[in-house]
Amino acid sequence: MQPDEFRRIGHEVIDWIADYRERVADLPVRSRVEPGWVRERLAPLPERGEGFDGLLSDLDRVVLPGTTHWQHPGFYAYFPSNASLPSVLGDLLSSGLGVQGMLWSTSPAATEVEQHLLDELVGAMGLPERFRGGGVIQDTASSAALVALLAALHRQSGGTWRQSGVDGTETVYVSSQTHSSIERAARLAGLGERAVRSVDVDDVLAMRVDDLASRIESDVEAGRKPVLVCATVGTTGTGAVDPVREIAALCAEHGIWLHVDAAWAGPAALCPEFRHLFDGLDQADSFTANAHKWMLTAFDLSLFWTAHPDVLVDALTILPEYLRNTATESGAVVDYRDWQIPLGRRFRALKLWSVLRWYGLEGVRAHLRRHVELAEMLESWVAGSEEWRLVAPRSLALLTLAHRDGDDATREAMDRVNAAGDAFVTHTTVNGRFAIRVAIGAESTEEHHVRALWQALAASG
Ligand code: PLP
């Protein structure tokens, strides 16, 4: 494709995306296709290049019916994953530049824009100053958890982990509400599930510090080595917030790495009124917040900070001959290849930069606050309802609700709402009871959408 062809077809592609976003609210949120429906409609690969028209028409014919519309205003499932249009343009610019920023020297701007943004966000989000200079973009919070654990293993071993690996006595602490990515990180790090301790939670589903303390103490007495505690600000199920400051004190006492997972709630730190949720973060060793959840940035972009970039780099560094270069050897630059699992890396910072410059910090704060206000509105309706109740306190823009008639009624209501196509909600269980999660966070969700969701739920009663 020559640049002039790119220019012409590129306009068509941008038009296609703009048209899609204009009409996404009219499509059923969830794809309704049966398994195999999409593949049955795909042609064999062409021997000869065929241009772009066929692909664009297949997008309408096959891809759209097989797509669940995450940018739909009625998307309340899982956690919405904002892909604002400025971030789409930023992503396009990143692909257009086509750089691979594994080393500072493979594209200095890719590294330095990223460093600048992550340091600026330390100030904008009120994060601890000890994170300045320790920020990096990961693809996902799952990768962030894994690198945090590897750094923790390295530190706990006194630096021998790189050479000798684990010895089977290392332990990791989560709660029953912690995201499954921590357990997976433990498996990937070779610790096995048996190393993962599931700490009890209290009545608002936050980690119980007394139970954490007793589990750590009995492990220490048994000769095991506690390596990492993962505290969560905004759990996946109900948005519960673990008591980070108290957990941090225990971690400090035992020399344990504290990772704070705020994959969903993290962006809320941009708003001073929500910062109390992050109390104790100044004591954490690492922290993650997904810009691809609630910070208007197209998947994938997870923000990760550590107070110990030296430990992280020491744990992960590897320098084969072909990557040697004078900038690295000068010690004057950051090579982000040593801060992540893969070697290669995209210029992801461009899409975040596009978002932050288009909306400004105030624009992003307004986006967050609007969702919280909508959630407060829905909360007030639930509070006044004789049929529905909240099963956990509202957390920012996440509500967890159940029908008073029990699990079957809740499940039926969810199925009915989802089948109608105007909204999509998912579920969790709270103390063994089935509950609907309403995660308000799509960019285009307005009051009338939430009102319609509530009417649909209420009608199901
Ligand atoms: N942590 C929490 C609290 C989450 O809610 C999620 C996903 O919803 C994750 C981690 C995993 O995020 P990612 O898909 O970026 O790995």
Side-chain angles (χ1 to χ4, degrees):
M1 186 181 281
Q2 296 303 314
D4 63 323
E5 291 173 300
F6 175 79
R7 195 186 312 277
R8 182 176 53 76
I9 298 167
H11 282 125
E12 281 177 43
V13 170
I14 296 286
D15 280 346
W16 190 92
I17 296 171
D19 290 346
Y20 168 65
R21 290 299 181 93
E22 270 173 1
R23 67 194 171 102
V24 66
D26 302 327
L27 301 171
V29 189
R30 263 194 328 170
S31 170
R32 291 171 167 161
V33 302
E34 297 294 330
W37 186 95
V38 174
R39 291 198 68 172
E40 276 164 21
R41 282 157 183 78
L42 300 181
L45 290 176
E47 282 297 333
R48 289 161 169 267
E50 58 175 28
F52 232 77
D53 292 349
L55 185 92
L56 283 179
S57 75
D58 276 355
L59 281 179
D60 291 318
R61 187 181 65 88
V62 186
V63 174
L64 278 190
T67 295
T68 288
H69 303 291
W70 285 67
Q71 306 311 313
H72 192 291
F75 191 100
Y76 308 100
Y78 313 107
F79 283 122
S81 191
N82 304 153
S84 70
L85 290 172
S87 79
V88 173
L89 292 178
D91 225 357
L92 182 61
L93 288 170
S94 169
S95 298
L97 282 174
V99 305
Q100 207 274 53
M102 59 187 168
L103 301 170
W104 178 88
S105 64
T106 60
S107 208
T111 298
E112 294 195 17
V113 172
E114 184 164 333
Q115 290 178 294
H116 175 69
L117 290 181
L118 277 275
D119 274 355
E120 285 284 300
L121 284 173
V122 167
M125 295 169 74
L127 301 181
E129 279 302 310
R130 66 203 291 243
F131 286 163
R132 204 175 279 281
V136 62
I137 294 173
Q138 305 282 343
D139 53 2
T140 58
S142 303
S143 296
L146 179 56
V147 298
L149 178 55
L150 299 180
L153 283 166
H154 186 60
R155 184 176 81 174
Q156 195 284 327
S157 71
T160 61
W161 166 82
R162 250 174 57 178
Q163 191 66 32
S164 329
V166 295
D167 66 12
T169 62
E170 298 85 355
T171 49
V172 167
Y173 302 81
V174 299
S175 84
S176 57
Q177 304 298 307
T178 304
H179 191 265
S180 51
S181 51
I182 310 298
E183 183 177 318
R184 184 185 273 173
R187 277 197 240 160
L188 289 169
L191 303 183
E193 282 166 23
R194 67 195 167 143
V196 181
R197 307 284 185 258
S198 182
V199 177
D200 291 347
V201 291
D202 62 17
D203 53 354
V204 288
L205 303 176
M207 186 183 277
R208 272 183 42 196
V209 181
D210 59 340
D211 190 47
L212 174 64
S214 70
R215 284 174 195 268
I216 291 173
E217 274 152 31
S218 68
D219 279 333
V220 171
E221 271 168 32
R224 299 197 187 90
K225 293 181 288 205
V227 173
L228 176 138
V229 175
C230 177
T232 308
V233 174
T235 58
T236 315
T238 64
V241 176
D242 292 336
V244 175
R245 189 166 292 286
E246 291 169 63
I247 293 171
L250 261 182
C251 289
E253 198 182 310
H254 294 275
I256 304 173
W257 187 286
L258 173 59
H259 177 61
V260 176
D261 175 6
W264 161 65
L270 282 167
C271 303
E273 70 271 29
F274 302 137
R275 284 200 192 138
H276 61 278
L277 299 173
F278 302 87
D279 180 50
L281 194 58
D282 53 312
Q283 304 299 312
D285 296 291
S286 54
F287 173 66
T288 193
N290 279 354
H292 66 237
K293 280 189 165 63
W294 206 10
M295 211 193 263
L296 291 156
T297 308
F299 192 83
D300 51 357
L301 200 150
S302 189
L303 304 163
F304 176 76
W305 286 270
T306 175
H308 318 289
D310 49 335
V311 178
L312 177 63
V313 169
D314 204 32
L316 299 187
T317 193
I318 194 146
L319 188 59
E321 185 56 37
Y322 82 103
L323 295 179
R324 288 187 185 278
N325 66 88
T326 47
T328 297
E329 269 148 34
S330 76
V333 301
V334 159
D335 289 324
Y336 272 136
R337 80 183 197 287
D338 285 337
W339 297 53
Q340 59 173 23
I341 302 299
L343 169 65
R345 62 199 324 269
R346 307 181 56 217
F347 194 167
R348 282 198 186 83
L350 270 181
K351 61 185 168 186
L352 181 62
W353 206 24
S354 308
V355 166
L356 295 173
R357 295 184 67 163
W358 176 265
Y359 295 94
L361 292 168
E362 265 311 319
V364 183
R365 288 189 200 107
H367 162 83
L368 296 160
R369 286 177 177 139
R370 194 166 47 80
H371 292 145
V372 175
E373 280 164 22
L374 292 175
E376 285 168 346
M377 194 181 70
L378 179 56
E379 179 186 28
S380 72
W381 296 334
V382 177
S385 163
E386 288 178 1
E387 286 158 343
W388 291 88
R389 65 188 176 90
L390 286 183
V391 297
R394 174 184 59 77
S395 175
L396 295 167
L398 174 66
L399 288 104
T400 321
L401 34 134
H403 199 284
R404 291 182 190 273
D405 287 351
D407 289 358
D408 288 347
T410 309
R411 193 187 297 269
E412 277 164 28
M414 182 180 89
D415 291 345
R416 217 165 328 182
V417 164
N418 287 344
D422 297 324
F424 180 25
V425 290
T426 48
H427 74 279
T428 185
T429 52
V430 178
N431 298 323
R433 304 304 300 269
F434 188 90
I436 295 176
R437 294 168 70 264
V438 180
I440 299 176
E443 191 185 4
S444 52
T445 303
E446 302 286 348
E447 179 175 333
H448 68 95
H449 298 112
V450 180
R451 199 174 283 280
L453 170 68
W454 177 239
Q455 278 161 0
L457 284 170
S460 309

